[in-house]
Amino acid sequence: MTKLYLEELNEQQLEAVKHFKGPCMVYAGPGSGKTTVIVHRVGHLIENYKVEPNRILVISFTRAAADEMKLRFESNYGWLFDRRKNVTFGTFHSVFFRILRSYYKYDLGNILNEPDKYNIIKKIIKFLGTENYLDDEFIKDIILDIGLYKSNILDRESFVPGSLSEDDFDKVLFLYENYKDEHNKIDFDDMLTKCYELLIGEPVVLQKIRDIYEYILIDEFQDINSVQFEIIKLLSSPGENLFVVGDDDQSIYGFRGANPNFILEFDKIYKNAKKIILNLNYRSQENIIDTANRLISNNDFRVKKTILSTKEPGIEVQFFRPENRESENKCISELINNLIGEGYNYSDIAIIYRTNILSSFIVDSFLDNNIPFVSKERIYNIYEHWMSKDIICYLKSALNINDRDALKRIINRPTRYITNKAKMAADEYHKDYITSLKVKGDLMPYQITHLDRLETDLNTIAHLDTTVAINYIRRNIGYDDYIYDYCTKKQINADGLMGILDELEEISLRHSAILQFIDHIERFKDSLRENIYRNRRRHSLKENKVELLTMHGAKGLEFKIVVIIEAVENIIPHSKSQNEESIEEERRLFYVAITRAKERLYIYAPLHKHDKRVRISRFVSEMEILKAGRPKRRIGNNL
């Protein structure tokens, strides 16, 4: 067995596998076989250095990665050891929770799951009345901020929340922590912070864990945050048999607290650390790797290295500039059909985008073009956003004046000064809702004037095409002004909310009749429910469907064909990226997307979005795929 795996490894991999004692940093480029190195290094420790399997701890960031490593290890080295003394494979959370369980006697019932956490934060926001508790993205931003605060080892003095004012954040945090204390609950962030506090405060417990694990290996080390690293430093001391594998060029989780400093300055933290670079890519064609190298070389904050492909040059990276997003989707549908005609399967293809909101547009197109798709991530349902629901209720009310639920939702959006007392009185009357308000609402003349105008507006909307109708609601009825006033009152930037409305209006271009648009929304929702159902069933066999995923979600995966959409400024790099540090992370994110491709890479950047001219992402220029003399194929407008 030893001879077999030694012959399979290249020189750098072999050097890493044979490392015995002391700290070692392995910089593993994309597709360079990092999992292979970890698995064989564990086997080498047991077989050649006679290390007891139960003295070895292997940590990854996801359960899937930990399970894969365990399966591969046992299939290669199961004959070496007694399974009662097995190597420990786990995630940071599972390993740290195991430590907490042994001391605090926690069980699984003490864990607050993510859906429950979301609902608790939502109720707190509603109770405080600080913001719109119906805004899903806002609630998620608060949860992210809480996670960032925890990952920074509870350093409240230096932490600046991005979702709320500091005072409001402190109120939310106080009420949330009180809830957990009262119900004896801990969340996933607490598994890290409480473990750190336990090890710092109880030297006997710390020494007990140190005595168990003599060798620690960590996968995806570039994703580690402050509290995780502090715990690892405690556990690995004083022997410092710490073997970490990662790629600084794939550090993309800064928004969750990941700190690339730990991988970049590992040799400063551990003065006697061994450094190994795995730079041979076994995944992608040479043209794809060369393109990725040109892109990532623009980052200053990195370990200098050039990845080399072991494959043939392959097909040139293809870049297209369609007229608009509608043309982009049409081109992608045609591309997919052509690829299927060439013999590829749908499951060979991935559509990758920067943010989840972009998934709505591509799902719309695939439904209309009968292209099968699947996503392991949550596909963004723009129609479930509270503003979209308002607009849809206007459309439904225009088609059916007897739709009480729809009218009740939008009666004061924008405000028509209809009181709760008037609404309750109208609920008891049998006429349509507007008439019921006029008859039973005890309204003043100016209120009735507002309702008369609403009736006229709804009658007008009923005879308009969908996009014109939405524009009418926004401009003529004053829904945009209502949102601007809301943002001013809440002291939040209106750009994000306006972007949702622009997105909804652009999507509606594909459905001219209002009734057709509403029917399409129901079909969209049915498709998402089916996707969620399939993911919950966790099919073991890969379905023959195009995969839709974000750049973050694509990390660790690979596909024969990758299609990157919306490669324009303010999407990638994202509009929120305002400094060089965040721009470098965005560049790493694009690098991750590119290096998922094995055989072909297609990049699309529409000329116009929301009827406005948009600029190509600076990253496309850095990749030099527009270089004069380089063969290109174009769909739509030329540059």
Side-chain angles (χ1 to χ4, degrees):
M1 178 62 69
T2 301
K3 184 177 179 181
L4 179 61
Y5 78 72
L6 291 181
E7 290 176 351
E8 290 176 348
L9 303 176
N10 65 44
E11 184 180 342
Q12 292 83 7
Q13 290 173 330
L14 189 59
E15 182 183 5
V17 165
K18 288 185 173 181
H19 177 75
F20 184 27
K21 287 188 174 290
C24 180
M25 176 69 242
V26 180
Y27 294 95
S32 62
K34 65 181 179 63
T35 303
T36 298
V37 165
I38 292 172
V39 168
H40 287 315
R41 198 252 173 168
V42 172
H44 200 76
L45 285 174
I46 298 168
E47 184 178 7
N48 291 79
Y49 297 125
K50 308 307 177 185
V51 176
E52 290 291 333
N54 57 340
R55 304 297 304 280
I56 302 171
L57 172 63
V58 183
I59 304 178
S60 188
F61 280 82
T62 66
R63 170 53 56 192
D67 288 346
E68 181 192 354
M69 285 192 292
K70 181 178 180 180
L71 183 64
R72 287 177 60 175
F73 171 70
E74 291 182 348
S75 66
N76 281 281
Y77 298 98
W79 56 275
L80 268 177
F81 56 89
D82 182 343
R83 290 181 181 273
R84 288 171 297 181
K85 294 183 177 181
N86 205 345
V87 177
T88 298
F89 290 88
T91 63
F92 277 99
H93 289 97
S94 67
V95 170
F96 295 169
F97 183 61
R98 195 176 302 142
I99 295 171
L100 291 174
R101 287 181 73 167
S102 65
Y103 187 80
Y104 290 116
K105 308 304 179 186
Y106 286 132
D107 59 33
L108 296 178
N110 295 109
I111 299 176
L112 185 67
N113 64 38
E114 291 303 298
D116 288 343
K117 178 178 181 177
Y118 174 91
N119 288 327
I120 292 162
I121 297 296
K122 186 174 184 177
K123 288 177 182 177
I124 290 172
I125 294 300
K126 183 179 180 181
F127 170 75
L128 293 175
T130 55
E131 292 287 353
N132 190 345
Y133 69 93
L134 294 174
D135 189 341
D136 290 345
E137 296 306 311
F138 172 64
I139 304 298
K140 289 172 187 172
D141 286 344
I142 295 173
I143 292 172
L144 270 178
D145 269 344
I146 292 173
L148 277 173
Y149 164 64
K150 294 292 184 73
S151 73
N152 204 32
I153 320 182
L154 310 178
D155 182 5
R156 185 64 193 88
E157 294 301 317
S158 64
F159 179 73
V160 179
S163 57
L164 290 162
S165 69
E166 294 197 31
D167 286 344
D168 286 341
F169 179 76
D170 287 341
K171 292 175 186 175
V172 171
L173 192 62
F174 175 78
L175 292 173
Y176 178 56
E177 295 300 323
N178 272 1
Y179 173 90
K180 288 187 294 181
D181 290 343
E182 290 172 4
H183 295 83
N184 195 25
K185 295 284 187 180
I186 62 170
D187 62 19
F188 288 99
D189 296 322
D190 295 328
M191 291 180 191
L192 309 183
T193 56
K194 287 185 178 295
C195 186
Y196 174 71
E197 291 166 350
L198 171 63
L199 297 177
I200 286 289
E202 299 289 342
V204 173
V205 176
L206 174 59
Q207 189 57 50
K208 181 180 177 181
I209 305 301
R210 284 174 174 172
D211 291 341
I212 294 173
Y213 298 120
E214 185 180 2
Y215 294 88
I216 299 176
L217 297 86
I218 302 177
D219 185 25
E220 303 285 7
F221 188 68
Q222 75 280 349
D223 296 335
I224 201 166
N225 63 36
S226 296
V227 66
Q228 290 165 338
F229 187 58
E230 290 302 319
I231 294 173
I232 292 301
K233 281 202 299 183
L234 287 170
L235 295 181
S236 61
S237 182
E240 296 182 345
N241 293 321
L242 184 59
F243 182 91
V244 299
V245 181
D247 183 7
D248 53 300
D249 290 333
Q250 296 186 70
S251 178
I252 59 172
Y253 292 115
F255 67 97
R256 293 182 188 167
N259 189 342
N261 281 321
F262 297 129
I263 189 170
L264 288 166
E265 299 181 0
F266 191 84
D267 58 342
K268 295 179 182 176
I269 300 169
Y270 296 96
K271 303 296 184 182
N272 62 332
K274 187 173 188 177
K275 291 172 61 176
I276 301 169
I277 295 177
L278 306 183
N279 68 336
L280 291 182
N281 178 285
Y282 294 92
R283 175 191 298 153
S284 306
Q285 301 281 15
E286 188 177 53
N287 280 323
I288 295 169
I289 293 302
D290 287 348
T291 299
N293 281 329
R294 287 193 294 271
L295 170 67
I296 203 63
S297 65
N298 288 276
N299 270 7
D300 294 322
F301 195 52
R302 66 186 291 261
V303 174
K304 303 299 180 185
K305 54 189 172 298
T306 300
I307 305 302
L308 304 174
S309 173
T310 61
K311 304 287 187 182
E312 295 295 319
I315 295 173
E316 291 279 351
V317 174
Q318 304 292 304
F319 175 74
F320 307 122
R321 279 223 92 180
E323 176 62 31
N324 51 35
R325 298 170 76 203
E326 180 66 26
S327 298
E328 179 182 52
N329 284 335
K330 182 180 178 182
C331 293
I332 291 170
S333 295
E334 291 175 355
L335 171 65
I336 291 171
N337 289 331
N338 290 337
L339 290 168
I340 299 302
E342 291 181 33
Y344 285 103
N345 295 315
Y346 288 112
S347 56
D348 294 327
I349 306 168
I351 309 296
I352 300 181
Y353 33 80
R354 170 61 180 86
T355 58
N356 223 315
I357 190 173
L358 299 173
S359 60
S360 289
F361 214 97
I362 199 74
V363 167
D364 258 13
S365 175
F366 280 9
L367 286 174
D368 288 345
N369 289 284
N370 297 313
I371 293 175
F373 66 91
V374 67
S375 178
K376 295 181 179 66
E377 298 179 272
R378 182 186 67 91
I379 293 176
Y380 186 82
N381 187 351
I382 191 172
Y383 307 118
E384 286 297 314
H385 193 281
W386 61 272
M387 292 188 304
S388 296
K389 288 181 177 179
D390 289 350
I391 299 296
I392 292 165
C393 282
Y394 267 106
L395 299 177
K396 287 182 174 180
S397 300
L399 296 183
N400 180 13
I401 198 68
N402 292 309
D403 190 333
R404 277 189 169 241
D405 289 338
L407 276 164
K408 286 167 76 172
R409 182 180 179 94
I410 51 94
I411 199 68
N412 275 325
R413 299 187 180 190
T415 183
R416 296 178 179 89
Y417 308 100
I418 306 302
T419 64
N420 288 332
K421 181 179 178 181
K423 287 188 278 188
M424 291 174 62
D427 282 338
E428 305 298 322
Y429 200 55
H430 64 279
K431 295 289 186 180
D432 69 80
Y433 192 58
I434 293 178
T435 302
S436 298
L437 284 169
K438 289 179 179 178
V439 173
K440 295 294 184 178
D442 192 25
L443 303 181
M444 301 292 288
Y446 74 92
Q447 293 170 300
I448 293 175
T449 299
H450 279 297
L451 293 179
D452 288 340
R453 175 65 187 273
L454 176 60
E455 281 188 293
T456 301
D457 286 333
L458 293 176
N459 185 59
T460 300
I461 291 169
H463 296 89
L464 299 175
D465 285 349
T466 309
T467 306
V468 179
I470 293 175
N471 192 275
Y472 185 93
I473 295 164
R474 295 180 64 182
R475 273 75 179 184
N476 294 63
I477 291 181
Y479 190 82
D480 276 12
D481 291 336
Y482 162 72
I483 295 300
Y484 279 122
D485 289 343
Y486 165 82
C487 292
T488 300
K489 180 181 177 182
K490 300 295 184 182
Q491 296 182 323
I492 58 177
N493 193 307
D495 291 347
L497 295 183
M498 285 298 132
I500 297 289
L501 293 172
D502 289 341
E503 195 81 7
L504 181 69
E505 188 171 326
E506 188 164 358
I507 287 175
S508 72
L509 284 166
R510 313 180 74 249
H511 310 280
S512 58
I514 293 176
L515 185 58
Q516 178 193 33
F517 183 53
I518 292 173
D519 287 343
H520 170 80
I521 291 171
E522 293 306 312
R523 194 156 62 96
F524 185 96
K525 291 178 180 178
D526 289 342
S527 175
L528 295 199
R529 280 192 288 268
E530 180 184 354
N531 188 72
I532 293 169
Y533 171 73
R534 287 179 179 276
N535 286 340
R536 284 177 178 167
R537 287 181 63 186
R538 296 180 180 177
H539 291 282
S540 57
L541 296 176
K542 188 173 182 180
E543 296 179 277
N544 188 24
K545 297 184 177 183
V546 177
E547 185 149 350
L548 310 181
L549 62 171
T550 62
M551 291 180 176
H552 285 102
K555 188 167 174 287
L557 303 177
E558 60 182 40
F559 303 88
K560 288 184 179 179
I561 297 160
V562 164
V563 180
I564 298 174
I565 64 172
E566 305 288 308
V568 296
E569 287 289 306
N570 294 323
I571 295 294
I572 180 74
H574 196 276
S575 57
K576 291 182 179 179
S577 300
Q578 299 294 330
N579 57 47
E580 189 54 39
E581 182 179 342
S582 59
I583 293 294
E584 289 212 352
E585 178 156 324
E586 292 285 301
R587 189 177 284 111
R588 293 194 293 267
L589 192 55
F590 210 129
Y591 176 79
V592 165
I594 289 172
T595 53
R596 301 311 94 197
K598 296 167 70 175
E599 297 178 9
R600 301 193 189 186
L601 175 62
Y602 301 86
I603 301 174
Y604 287 80
L607 282 163
H608 296 91
K609 184 178 179 181
H610 307 320
D611 292 328
K612 296 176 182 176
R613 180 99 179 181
V614 290
R615 291 180 293 132
I616 301 171
S617 169
R618 69 194 73 179
F619 302 150
V620 173
S621 300
E622 292 170 358
M623 290 186 285
E624 299 180 23
I625 55 178
L626 305 177
K627 191 174 180 180
R630 186 177 293 275
K632 297 179 288 290
R633 185 179 59 182
R634 302 195 188 278
I635 298 177
N637 287 51
N638 289 337
L639 290 168

